[in-house]
Amino acid sequence: MRVAPSVIAANFSKFQEEIKKVEEASADLLHLDVMDGVFVPNITFGPLIVKAINEITDMELDVHLMIVKPEKYLRQFIEAGADWISFHAEATEKTDECIKIIREQNKKVGLAISPPTPFDRVKKYVDKLDFILIMTVNPGFYGQKFLPEILKKIEQTRDWIVIHKPDCLIQVDGGINSRNVVELDRAGVDIVVAGAAVFKSDDYEKAIKDLKCLKV
Ligand code: DX5
Ligand code: ZN
């Protein structure tokens, strides 16, 4: 299991230190939640902060855009240093155009779906994706409770991907911890995003190791 700590759960007054700590703890990717206060009821940060983070870490940046009309901003986030970018299917009418923009810049492209959105709605795009991001909470805030009913959607996605596009990774995001990760691992998830489970723990290294499902 690959682990992507989500910085919105970090202590922003000690930002650089927090990022170094997860890097040293072998986090695989750094997950950056971009929220616009329109698509989701919260506001975080934009490309300027992504660029600053890119300057202080060697980790690959996994930018999760929770913004309306992502097609307008993709290039800015790529220029700022995003290596992996996901945008929400619910937030744009131009999914093909978004995929094309990200692909042309040779970045990893992911399509995100919120809990109410069925996998069937995005199936037709999977062929062009590097990863699909299945939200396991309603997007907007860290520290929410994992929605167990999404497990069925994850399994359905995996069953389809295994046959039609085996190199498309499955990423899940929201309420993931050292307990429910076991089930997600079994369900075929490749990457877990974790905010509170890492940054609100006493020992980041142990938290990340547990999420990687490594037997200690
Ligand atoms: C939710 C964000 C998640 C969140 C994860 O809208 O997309 O990335 O920060 O945090 P936890 O793991 O605490 O749910
Ligand atoms: Zn996220």
Side-chain angles (χ1 to χ4, degrees):
M1 183 68 80
R2 286 186 236 182
V3 178
S6 171
V7 299
I8 55 163
N11 180 341
F12 272 69
S13 65
K14 297 195 279 181
F15 210 45
Q16 192 157 359
E17 204 182 301
E18 292 274 77
I19 291 172
K20 271 281 152 281
K21 269 167 76 179
V22 292
E23 185 162 12
E24 281 164 16
S26 308
D28 297 282
L29 295 169
L30 193 65
H31 187 83
L32 307 181
D33 287 308
V34 176
M35 304 185 186
D36 66 353
V38 180
F39 180 67
V40 285
N42 196 7
I43 300 177
T44 55
F45 49 77
L48 199 70
I49 300 292
V50 174
K51 186 168 184 284
I53 294 173
N54 194 35
E55 283 162 12
I56 58 168
T57 179
D58 292 329
M59 280 183 285
E60 289 191 14
L61 304 184
D62 168 31
V63 176
H64 175 192
L65 297 178
M66 285 160 274
I67 62 174
V68 293
K69 297 197 190 329
E71 59 274 9
K72 285 171 48 185
Y73 301 98
L74 288 168
R75 287 189 181 84
Q76 286 187 47
F77 283 99
I78 292 168
E79 264 163 46
D83 301 291
W84 300 55
I85 307 187
S86 57
F87 60 94
H88 273 260
E90 305 88 0
T92 179
E93 282 163 10
K94 299 186 173 165
T95 300
D96 279 313
E97 185 183 326
C98 290
I99 293 174
K100 189 163 170 271
I101 295 170
I102 302 169
R103 277 236 161 281
E104 275 171 2
Q105 306 292 320
N106 292 316
K107 303 299 171 193
K108 302 261 195 233
V109 54
L111 187 58
I113 48 173
S114 293
T117 306
F119 172 65
D120 278 351
R121 225 200 101 186
V122 295
K123 223 184 223 174
K124 59 175 183 279
Y125 301 110
V126 175
D127 199 35
K128 302 177 202 136
L129 302 177
D130 295 299
F131 68 110
I132 178 159
L133 167 49
I134 301 175
M135 293 302 298
T136 42
V137 298
N138 285 305
F141 302 91
Y142 76 84
Q144 300 183 77
K145 210 176 144 306
F146 176 82
L147 299 169
E149 62 270 27
I150 307 299
L151 208 59
K152 226 184 276 162
K153 178 160 61 173
I154 297 168
E155 287 166 351
Q156 184 200 357
T157 304
R158 176 212 53 202
D159 289 347
W160 194 89
I161 280 178
V162 166
I163 298 169
H164 298 95
K165 175 82 164 110
D167 61 348
C168 177
L169 302 174
I170 300 176
Q171 182 181 54
V172 296
D173 183 6
I176 291 148
N177 56 43
S178 58
R179 294 175 300 281
N180 55 30
V181 75
V182 179
E183 221 169 348
L184 296 167
D185 190 35
R186 222 179 290 136
V189 168
D190 301 286
I191 309 166
V192 286
V193 173
V198 172
F199 287 108
K200 300 300 175 205
S201 78
D202 302 332
D203 184 344
Y204 295 2
E205 200 168 339
K206 181 172 184 314
I208 291 173
K209 199 179 274 173
D210 287 349
L211 290 167
K212 285 193 181 198
C213 301
L214 297 174
K215 311 274 171 289
V216 203

